[in-house]
Amino acid sequence: MKILITGTDYGLGRALAEVYLQAGHTVFAGELNPRKSMLGKADHMYRDRLYRIKMDVTSITSVKEAFDEIKKHTESLDMIINNAAILGDNTKTIVEELDFDEMKRVIDTNAIGHARVCHHGVSMLLESETRLLVNITSEAGSLGTPDPNCDIPSAYGYFMSKAAANMCGKITATYLRDKGGRVIIIHPLYMATYMLGYKEPNATFEPEEVADMIIGITNEPDRFFPEGRNLCFISADGRKMEW
Ligand SMILES: NC(=O)c1ccc[n+]([C@@H]2O[C@H](COP(=O)([O-])OP(=O)(O)OC[C@H]3O[C@@H](n4cnc5c(N)ncnc54)[C@H](OP(=O)(O)O)[C@@H]3O)[C@@H](O)[C@H]2O)c1
């Protein structure tokens, strides 16, 4: 398969790129900072199947230029994985000094970023047989999942962005419905990445473990879609998530 993954510098994005490369796929890796990207270490091993492409999902110019580059190598993409995200402040309550500009940046990256990538990517997905869109969001975007991790009176930007990203996936699934396209929205569990600026010490999983779970899902996606639907929201360990 030919796969585009966004946000591959670090964390889950890098782990996903490596897992799909190890499985023999071709990966277009969207990097925000190619010079500091951890994926650079995989360059020499997958010279013929790893395309490292600069892509800032907050810029439609950057996203278009990335797709122009991808189109030099392929006319179709079997799968797009929207993974890039930022956290922003996750401590302040509604009565504290909230940074509204930062809140906008978080929503711009985590939710509108998905829309920018789909705007240029969906036509390439529809040229493939697989036609699979995978959006990494979070339980933080679920209004119905009673998870104590998300029952906090803060993280406005991040939580709102993930609910909006879920809706972006739902709307795109409606567009894709009669065209054979499908959308899997995934909560990737609690991972030891550097989203907080330091390695999360209490996390349950390493990003590599979650990447293994996600390739398991995308290898056999049929079992996750409710009857007659082209959209699902699940956790990386396969549980149905509440919207
Ligand atoms: N960690 C968790 O427990 C957890 C839980 C639920 C959901 N998630 C979700 O899982 C996904 C991966 O997160 P992670 O934990 O792996 O975090 P991470 O290590 O911080 O990775 C996020 C990646 O996104 C990139 N990125 C940030 N802004 C970007 C932009 N404007 N354009 C392109 N790339 C950009 C970052 O690049 P730079 O590093 O170069 O800035 C980084 O490579 C995210 O969608 C996150 O919300 C994570």
Side-chain angles (χ1 to χ4, degrees):
M1 286 202 293
K2 287 170 279 185
I3 304 163
L4 166 65
I5 306 168
T6 69
T8 54
D9 298 2
Y10 291 99
L12 179 62
R14 182 201 54 77
L16 283 169
E18 291 196 350
V19 158
Y20 283 102
L21 286 164
Q22 281 158 18
H25 300 294
T26 295
V27 171
F28 296 90
E31 296 182 321
L32 180 62
N33 294 302
R35 270 187 299 178
K36 65 170 198 170
S37 168
M38 293 299 285
L39 197 56
K41 293 181 177 166
D43 252 355
H44 65 286
M45 289 170 70
Y46 304 107
R47 220 177 283 277
D48 54 336
R49 288 187 288 113
L50 170 59
Y51 298 88
R52 297 174 58 204
I53 313 271
K54 183 157 173 50
M55 187 194 286
D56 176 352
V57 301
T58 64
S59 158
I60 194 64
T61 306
S62 170
V63 171
K64 182 185 179 305
E65 284 172 1
F67 274 97
D68 287 345
E69 186 61 33
I70 293 169
K71 283 175 185 163
K72 290 179 186 166
H73 305 284
T74 178
E75 290 175 359
S76 65
L77 288 169
D78 297 278
M79 185 157 71
I80 295 176
I81 305 182
N82 275 310
N83 164 78
I86 54 174
L87 179 61
D89 173 74
N90 65 344
T91 61
K92 298 214 174 70
T93 66
I94 196 68
V95 295
E96 291 173 90
E97 197 173 328
L98 288 161
D99 183 340
F100 293 98
D101 287 331
E102 182 198 69
M103 218 183 273
K104 280 198 260 184
R105 282 198 298 279
V106 173
I107 294 169
D108 193 26
T109 307
N110 301 3
I112 303 176
H114 286 198
R116 287 190 191 91
V117 171
C118 287
H119 174 65
H120 283 292
V122 153
S123 56
M124 294 188 78
L125 265 193
L126 292 176
E127 290 296 322
S128 78
E129 292 289 313
T130 312
R131 301 173 186 182
L132 191 60
L133 174 64
V134 177
N135 286 349
I136 306 298
T137 70
S138 172
E139 64 186 352
S142 164
L143 299 176
T145 304
D147 190 300
N149 288 332
C150 295
D151 195 20
I152 57 171
S154 55
Y156 277 90
Y158 189 76
F159 280 36
M160 289 193 290
S161 76
K162 291 300 186 178
N166 281 350
M167 186 53 76
C168 180
K170 178 181 179 289
I171 299 168
T172 310
T174 306
Y175 174 78
L176 292 172
R177 193 159 51 208
D178 60 357
K179 300 172 183 64
R182 295 183 293 178
V183 180
I184 303 182
I185 298 176
I186 298 181
H187 160 52
L189 307 171
Y190 189 12
M191 297 177 291
T193 62
Y194 288 82
M195 200 161 228
L196 290 164
Y198 53 88
K199 188 163 176 171
E200 171 56 68
N202 302 314
T204 327
F205 294 100
E206 292 297 322
E208 291 76 15
E209 295 175 286
V210 173
D212 280 338
M213 295 178 201
I214 291 176
I215 195 173
I217 291 169
T218 61
N219 281 345
E220 294 180 87
D222 294 354
R223 61 205 161 108
F224 297 101
F225 293 101
E227 184 71 30
R229 300 289 307 275
N230 70 333
L231 171 69
C232 61
F233 179 23
I234 58 174
S235 57
D237 56 0
R239 285 173 293 123
K240 179 177 177 291
M241 300 290 292
E242 297 299 327
W243 295 96

